[in-house]
Amino acid sequence: MNPVVRNIESLRKQKRMTMKEISDHCGKTIPWYADIAKGRRRIYLDDMLLIAEAMKEDPSIFFAQQLSVTLNPKKTA
């Protein structure tokens, strides 16, 4: 799986957001998001920006190599 998509999915689960919540905010269907999450659909920058907005996060967080350290800066790697 693409590391960016892996981070998006990890963050979505940590925030306890559903695929429906994300897709609704983006004005897309649940299968659209599910296909991105499963690597069947390419994710474009516009999509990443919409998803980040839905999660109330800066899109750069999706590119973090260690997402858990980024989300919890007090922890050490």
Side-chain angles (χ1 to χ4, degrees):
M1 179 187 292
N2 176 324
V4 170
V5 173
R6 190 177 323 117
N7 283 347
I8 290 170
E9 268 299 276
S10 177
L11 184 59
R12 179 185 70 80
K13 290 173 184 176
Q14 286 178 21
K15 289 181 167 275
R16 296 182 182 180
M17 294 183 77
T18 65
M19 289 184 180
K20 181 173 178 13
E21 289 172 318
I22 302 284
S23 59
D24 283 351
H25 180 87
C26 296
K28 307 282 186 171
T29 63
I30 296 170
W32 166 84
Y33 184 85
D35 285 347
I36 289 172
K38 292 177 182 174
R40 292 189 299 230
R41 176 185 294 267
R42 185 177 298 193
I43 186 166
Y44 293 98
L45 181 58
D46 292 344
D47 298 332
M48 271 192 265
L49 295 174
L50 287 171
I51 293 168
E53 184 179 287
M55 293 185 186
K56 296 179 172 67
E57 291 288 345
D58 186 289
S60 64
I61 197 167
F62 300 149
F63 297 94
Q65 288 190 7
Q66 293 184 341
L67 189 60
S68 61
V69 173
T70 303
L71 292 173
N72 303 306
K74 294 180 184 176
K75 290 183 179 179
T76 57

